[in-house]
């Protein structure tokens, strides 16, 4: 099971929406936010996961976003190539952000 599937499973088990799912590991917080295709212009340079209507899944860096297509740069482990994905074939997009967790990030109430 890959990390993204694990995050989805954790979100479901915790009763969280996928947009607010967070994973705490080694002092880091990873947030996964599902965004519409139209909102991608605000996320150029971000790490994203694109699922297509054909059932494929690609993860990488958003290089360019237009009304008709997006360009995704795959990681070096996946060849480092850039792919153009037509907007008509995009089912959904997740934007991944990761930040340092601070001691005040715990939302549990203390007695």
């Amino acid at each position: 099971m890959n990390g993204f599937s694990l995050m989805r499973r954790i979100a479901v088990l915790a009763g969280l929406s996928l947009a607010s799912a967070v994973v705490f590991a080694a002092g880091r917080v990873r947030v996964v936010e599902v965004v519409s295709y139209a909102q991608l212009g605000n996320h150029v340079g971000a790490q994203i996961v694109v699922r297509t209507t054909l059932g494929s899944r690609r993860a990488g860096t958003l290089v360019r976003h237009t009304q008709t297509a997006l360009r995704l740069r795959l990681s070096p482990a996946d060849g480092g190539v850039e792919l153009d994905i037509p907007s008509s074939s995009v089912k959904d997009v997740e934007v991944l952000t990761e930040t340092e967790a601070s001691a005040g990030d715990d939302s549990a109430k203390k007695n």
Side-chain angles (χ1 to χ4, degrees):
M1 177 179 300
N2 66 35
F4 301 118
S5 295
L6 179 60
M7 287 191 321
R8 266 188 224 95
R9 178 171 268 177
I10 289 169
V12 169
L13 293 174
L16 299 172
S17 70
L18 188 55
S20 62
V22 294
V23 175
F24 294 92
R28 309 274 306 161
V29 177
R30 178 173 281 175
V31 179
V32 179
E33 178 184 8
V34 178
V35 299
S36 70
Y37 186 85
Q39 293 172 314
L40 281 177
N42 298 327
H43 299 286
V44 173
Q47 294 297 311
I48 65 170
V49 176
V50 178
R51 274 189 293 284
T52 69
T53 55
L54 302 173
S56 66
R57 178 189 168 281
R58 295 290 187 172
T61 303
L62 180 61
V63 175
R64 184 175 63 197
H65 168 264
T66 67
Q67 187 176 358
T68 58
L70 64 83
R71 178 166 287 172
L72 187 67
R73 181 181 306 118
L74 303 182
S75 71
D78 291 326
V81 298
E82 292 186 1
L83 299 175
D84 288 327
I85 302 174
S87 61
S88 61
S89 69
V90 175
K91 181 178 178 182
D92 62 38
V93 181
E94 296 174 344
V95 177
L96 311 173
T97 56
E98 193 170 301
T99 60
E100 291 290 329
S102 65
D105 285 344
D106 185 8
S107 62
K109 291 183 179 179
K110 295 190 172 91
N111 293 329

